Amino acid sequence: MPIAPTSAPGVDRAAFRFHCIACGNVRDEASQNFRCPQCKDLLEITYPYWKEAGLSAENLKSTWRQRRLSQSAVDLSGVWRFRDLLPALANDQKVITLREGNTPLYELPQCARITGVPRLFAKHQGLNPTGSFKDTGMTVAATFARQAGFRWVACASTGNTSASMAAYAARGGMCSLVLVPEGKISWSKLSQALDYGAVTCQLRTDFDGCLSLLQELVLRAPVYQLNSINPFRLEGQKTVALELLEQLDWRPPDHIIVPGGNLGNSSAIGKALIEMHELDLISCLPKLSIIQAEGANALVRTVRETGGKRLINVQAETRATAVRIGNPASWKKAVHVLEATGGACEQVSEIEIAQAKAEIGAEGIGCEPASAVTLAGLKKLVKQEFVKPDETVVLILTGNLLKDPDFTIGFHRGDLFKDTPDESASGALNPLRCPPIVLDATLDAVIRTLEQAEKYS
Ligand code: F0G
């Protein structure tokens, strides 16, 4: 028999409001496009009663620890286990969950040597049920979609959001509509959406085109949008920070480094850090730094060229297809997080991304190219002395290696940069390549290969 889920003593489950990030307007309800009806900017979820409720950090920590012993579905989820800091549900038993979260924190000894930062960790969000961090937000947003009575959910995606949404919609008995840019997402991600039964439209545009079309669609049709504009997604994505800090015994690292695309994830993690600090769960704020691909560097340019005041759109182009985004929706939230935590915003080249991905892979930890921007960015931040060798650093790996096998195979075969301006520079990556070897099926041939490999290892 499942053990009944527990609540933190003295905690009135989190009543929440929608707060406009620009004009400060506060409302009980959000419209279909999750924008402020007054100024059209994005909404975030706030919890006005936390202060009155007198949440105790010690009670929260011990409740979350205790829930690890429970077999109830909400407690087995690495997201809902932290539900005291999430929007309250009408009924906890009705969550749509695939046991998301619960991801490992790994040490990276070889990357530590490469970067000169001995205390280097990776929190691998690619080990979520559908292979990316999106599941932590999706369990919350999909649950609220069903609670609100929606039959259809929809998203625009570079692949991971659609895979995750399709899975949670299927688990929750809802229909899903996916808008992805044709030819610009990996087959693995596309195949997930198909397998989970989504109506999948490959639009002849880029991600930004898909997202702007979706914004119009939700105002015309009864579909619930599950992009990270949806603030319930970001509330779920906060929990990676809670789980990370619990794994570090509530001792904050000096730096957390995340990839930046549409900028929902960095906003969510930053929000979690700020809330944890306000609730005395942590004694100081880690610096949250955001790394983008050079070819999709809207936030980097926005910060450098306008001081974070005005978004500079870019025409995005990068092989890290998950972050091929030129008009990031949550840029203002991300700027706020950079300012509040004192983090940096950097960009890395295609070659640097490929090299970092192979270096993480050589530790036995597979991630997708977009995740590897974190290690590539760390190297730059060390060089700039923004990160010091005696500091603790956590990289957030957002997606699984298996999400984009074409990239990995292209890298190891040596044709990833063929016929591109990076072709000659990519020769520097040869020592990291581990190409497949085609042989006659003879014992001799295999033994010779083994001996060769031993000689050069
Ligand atoms: N890493 C991976 C693996 C992603 O899939 C994404 C975004 C990001 C990083 C960037 O996160 O957008 O919150 O800044 N993927 C989205 C998608 C856009 O549709 O799957 P972000």
Side-chain angles (χ1 to χ4, degrees):
M1 202 175 81
I3 299 166
T6 50
S7 253
V11 173
D12 188 12
R13 290 292 311 286
F16 61 94
R17 298 284 179 272
F18 297 97
H19 170 259
C20 171
I21 61 164
C23 73
N25 182 9
V26 177
R27 307 177 83 83
D28 288 349
E29 308 230 311
S31 58
Q32 278 281 80
N33 63 354
F34 293 109
R35 290 194 176 267
C36 172
Q38 278 175 17
C39 74
K40 307 281 177 261
D41 217 318
L42 292 184
L43 303 176
E44 65 176 356
I45 286 177
T46 53
Y47 304 90
Y49 305 113
W50 273 358
K51 278 215 175 88
E52 292 171 25
L55 291 189
S56 137
E58 282 320 305
N59 278 348
L60 288 169
K61 288 177 191 175
S62 89
T63 301
W64 295 336
R65 234 188 345 261
Q66 200 184 322
R67 283 180 187 153
R68 284 212 236 120
L69 304 173
S70 156
Q71 290 301 314
S72 146
V74 265
D75 291 338
L76 286 168
S77 161
V79 170
W80 293 102
R81 188 159 68 82
F82 299 103
R83 59 192 173 276
D84 312 278
L85 304 190
L86 297 178
L89 279 167
N91 180 348
D92 278 349
Q93 301 300 332
K94 295 230 166 120
V95 293
I96 306 172
T97 173
L98 288 162
R99 299 198 189 172
E100 51 291 317
N102 299 311
T103 58
L105 181 67
Y106 294 126
E107 283 179 46
L108 295 178
Q110 293 178 38
C111 295
R113 269 192 297 280
I114 293 167
T115 53
V117 178
R119 286 204 304 278
L120 178 59
F121 299 88
K123 174 87 173 139
H124 203 339
Q125 292 298 87
L127 297 183
N128 268 290
T130 75
S132 85
F133 72 97
K134 305 288 181 179
D135 296 342
T136 56
M138 209 52 81
T139 180
V140 175
T143 297
F144 275 89
R146 189 170 68 175
Q147 183 174 289
F150 281 91
R151 196 170 119 69
W152 279 91
V153 291
C155 73
S157 182
T158 57
N160 280 327
T161 300
S162 48
S164 181
M165 179 190 76
Y168 282 83
R171 295 298 294 173
M174 292 179 286
C175 307
S176 61
L177 172 73
V178 160
L179 306 182
V180 290
E182 201 222 341
K184 290 174 185 157
I185 77 165
S186 83
W187 289 119
S188 307
K189 297 174 188 178
L190 187 67
S191 68
Q192 287 182 287
L194 304 180
D195 217 34
Y196 304 139
V199 173
T200 304
C201 305
Q202 296 179 274
L203 303 186
R204 292 187 198 93
T205 179
D206 54 12
F207 168 82
D208 301 296
C210 292
L211 186 57
S212 74
L213 201 144
L214 180 72
Q215 298 278 291
E216 288 178 41
L217 178 75
V218 295
L219 297 175
R220 297 266 290 275
V223 297
Y224 187 82
Q225 78 154 311
L226 286 180
N227 274 96
S228 57
I229 288 171
N230 180 323
F232 290 105
R233 281 266 316 273
L234 300 198
E235 290 308 291
Q237 284 173 213
K238 285 189 321 193
T239 57
V240 61
L242 292 160
E243 190 175 86
L244 167 67
L245 266 297
E246 188 184 59
Q247 285 165 324
L248 293 173
D249 206 14
W250 301 103
R251 280 189 289 271
D254 298 287
H255 297 269
I256 299 176
I257 303 186
V258 289
N262 212 20
L263 300 174
N265 201 32
S266 36
S267 304
I269 296 174
K271 185 173 190 282
L273 296 174
I274 294 164
E275 289 176 357
M276 275 191 270
H277 192 224
E278 280 169 7
L279 291 169
D280 284 333
L281 285 160
I282 50 174
S283 56
C284 60
L285 274 178
K287 293 186 176 70
L288 187 90
S289 293
I290 304 173
I291 312 296
Q292 296 195 299
E294 269 176 14
N297 61 352
L299 183 69
V300 174
R301 291 195 52 191
T302 296
V303 169
R304 289 185 187 167
E305 295 170 34
T306 78
K309 300 278 181 292
R310 185 174 50 79
L311 176 67
I312 298 190
N313 294 331
V314 299
Q315 191 63 45
E317 197 43 74
T318 167
R319 276 194 173 65
T321 52
V323 288
R324 193 189 265 159
I325 295 170
N327 185 15
S330 294
W331 68 276
K332 272 192 198 162
K333 292 184 181 180
V335 168
H336 171 66
V337 161
L338 288 174
E339 287 171 357
T341 69
C345 183
E346 246 316 328
Q347 59 185 353
V348 290
S349 71
E350 296 293 298
I351 298 253
E352 288 166 332
I353 295 171
Q355 174 166 356
K357 189 177 120 50
E359 288 164 346
I360 296 168
E363 299 247 27
I365 295 172
C367 68
E368 67 169 289
S371 307
V373 303
T374 53
L375 178 64
L378 171 62
K379 291 181 198 168
K380 285 201 157 167
L381 298 180
V382 170
K383 218 177 246 164
Q384 295 160 7
E385 297 181 15
F386 181 78
V387 174
K388 315 275 184 324
D390 61 344
E391 292 183 318
T392 304
V393 179
V394 178
L395 310 178
I396 306 292
L397 302 182
T398 45
N400 196 295
L401 166 83
L402 300 175
K403 288 284 195 173
D404 195 350
D406 285 353
F407 184 102
T408 310
I409 291 173
F411 176 88
H412 289 289
R413 283 195 171 145
D415 50 22
L416 188 63
F417 293 104
K418 201 159 174 262
D419 300 328
T420 75
D422 287 323
E423 186 163 2
S424 63
S426 70
L429 302 176
N430 286 344
L432 286 164
R433 286 177 42 220
C434 183
I437 304 159
V438 180
L439 294 177
D440 287 333
T442 67
L443 193 56
D444 262 5
V446 176
I447 288 180
R448 255 198 321 275
T449 306
L450 193 61
E451 285 167 354
Q452 283 286 95
E454 174 63 22
K455 208 153 84 193
Y456 293 108
S457 68

